[in-house]
Amino acid sequence: MLDNGWDVGRSVRRLVFRGPLRCNLCGSGVRFRSVTGELGETFAKYGFPYSLDDFETLNHRQYRCPVCGSADRDRLYGLYVDRFLPPDRVRRVLDFAPSPSLSRYLRGRADLDYRTADLMMAGVDDVVDITHMPNYADGSFEFFICSHVLEHVSDDALALKELYRVLTPGGRGIVMTPIAPEGSFDEDPSVVDESERWRRFAQGDHVRLYDRSTLCARIRNSGFEVTALDSRTFGQETFAEHAIAENSVLYVVEKPA
Ligand SMILES: [Zn+2]
């Protein structure tokens, strides 16, 4: 072990952080819970051809905070909000399919005029179909979070078009989906068999599997600019402290002003 808490693991490519780990959403010092066995076995059962390690932004070994329930990606969004949405003015924020831990964190920020939305989820502020949101006027929001939603939506282009419309010019958003290795992109909204969806799209209610280039191309096609932020932005040590995998990438979109 090195003096600063870092240890060079068996693989030279992997640095293991052995300092105290902390959830940045609830502030607790914790041992994050793994989903490796459960999810890995499900992939194997359905014959999904990739492993958990193949996915971008998935720390399956240190996934969930035992106190607030945050997933690694929720902690990543928290880092972004803290750094890039300073409390210098009130911002209107829309969060689709909200994660309870991140939602609690964002509601706690007095400077955010925060709303949640979803079609299926109980308890959200607005029950909406992301491909058709007549309840929101053009340019209603300055920031949105659309995380792990598009892979459930048959027409993702329509969803992105609506996100673009409801965002104010110069506004930004987080657009995240599961990302499998480059070249793995696959989609077929006509597949309704759950086993087949698991085999091809990594979950029984997904209609496609994204790779990085296809997701970014579709985001750009909708008019957004997209920026990929990673550990070079937030710091390798910060990622490690909050159990965010080294290969994690945050896709931030912007509607040109
Ligand atoms: Zn937590």
Side-chain angles (χ1 to χ4, degrees):
M1 172 138 43
L2 308 173
D3 288 345
N4 58 5
W6 289 90
D7 198 359
V8 180
R10 228 171 254 262
S11 156
V12 182
R13 289 171 57 236
R14 181 174 303 219
L15 282 167
V16 180
F17 187 78
R18 299 196 189 283
L21 300 187
R22 193 174 61 84
C23 173
N24 52 311
L25 294 185
C26 69
S28 309
V30 294
R31 291 173 76 94
F32 291 98
R33 289 188 181 143
S34 160
V35 289
T36 307
E38 175 194 338
L39 199 51
E41 281 162 27
T42 309
F43 279 5
K45 175 181 162 191
Y46 292 107
F48 181 67
Y50 300 98
S51 82
L52 294 170
D53 283 328
D54 289 331
F55 279 88
E56 199 174 271
T57 317
L58 176 61
N59 191 358
H60 57 91
R61 292 180 184 84
Q62 297 174 306
Y63 185 75
R64 197 169 291 290
C65 171
V67 177
C68 74
S70 72
D72 54 344
R73 61 178 180 268
D74 302 323
R75 300 190 289 276
L76 176 59
Y77 310 157
L79 292 181
Y80 178 85
V81 168
D82 283 351
R83 175 130 167 216
F84 293 99
L85 299 184
D88 52 355
R89 60 189 169 86
V90 172
R91 286 186 176 81
R92 289 160 297 158
V93 174
L94 186 60
D95 188 0
F96 291 91
S99 127
S101 56
L102 183 68
S103 196
R104 217 162 19 241
Y105 184 76
L106 297 174
R107 276 196 203 285
R109 282 266 304 253
D111 59 300
L112 301 179
D113 180 1
Y114 174 78
R115 292 195 76 74
T116 56
D118 195 68
L119 187 58
M120 322 291 274
M121 199 179 268
V124 292
D125 295 319
D126 302 316
V127 176
V128 295
D129 174 348
I130 196 169
T131 63
H132 182 61
M133 305 189 281
N135 54 316
Y136 302 137
D138 297 359
S140 295
F141 298 96
E142 285 140 305
F143 187 72
F144 70 76
I145 298 170
C146 178
S147 168
H148 287 230
V149 171
L150 294 180
E151 70 274 17
H152 299 267
V153 176
S154 296
D155 191 340
D156 56 354
L158 207 49
L160 286 163
K161 190 178 165 193
E162 275 292 81
L163 288 171
Y164 188 88
R165 183 185 67 75
V166 303
L167 197 65
T168 193
R172 284 172 284 158
I174 286 173
V175 175
M176 295 284 282
T177 65
I179 300 278
E182 200 53 32
S184 65
F185 175 76
D186 186 17
E187 77 178 328
D188 190 349
S190 73
V191 173
V192 291
D193 179 62
E194 268 194 43
S195 307
E196 183 63 1
R197 283 177 162 182
W198 270 107
R199 189 183 72 77
R200 287 176 60 182
F201 313 134
Q203 198 165 297
D205 57 355
H206 288 179
V207 297
R208 73 180 64 77
L209 183 70
Y210 288 98
D211 59 13
R212 179 185 176 126
S213 62
T214 309
L215 177 65
C216 289
R218 290 187 175 193
I219 289 172
R220 288 196 185 97
N221 280 345
S222 66
F224 285 119
E225 289 163 0
V226 59
T227 308
L229 304 181
D230 57 26
S231 65
R232 287 169 295 185
T233 304
F234 298 101
Q236 206 178 22
E237 190 149 354
T238 303
F239 267 23
E241 183 188 358
H242 306 304
I244 296 165
E246 254 183 286
N247 74 343
S248 298
V249 181
L250 180 71
Y251 296 96
V252 177
V253 304
E254 183 166 349
K255 180 172 177 173

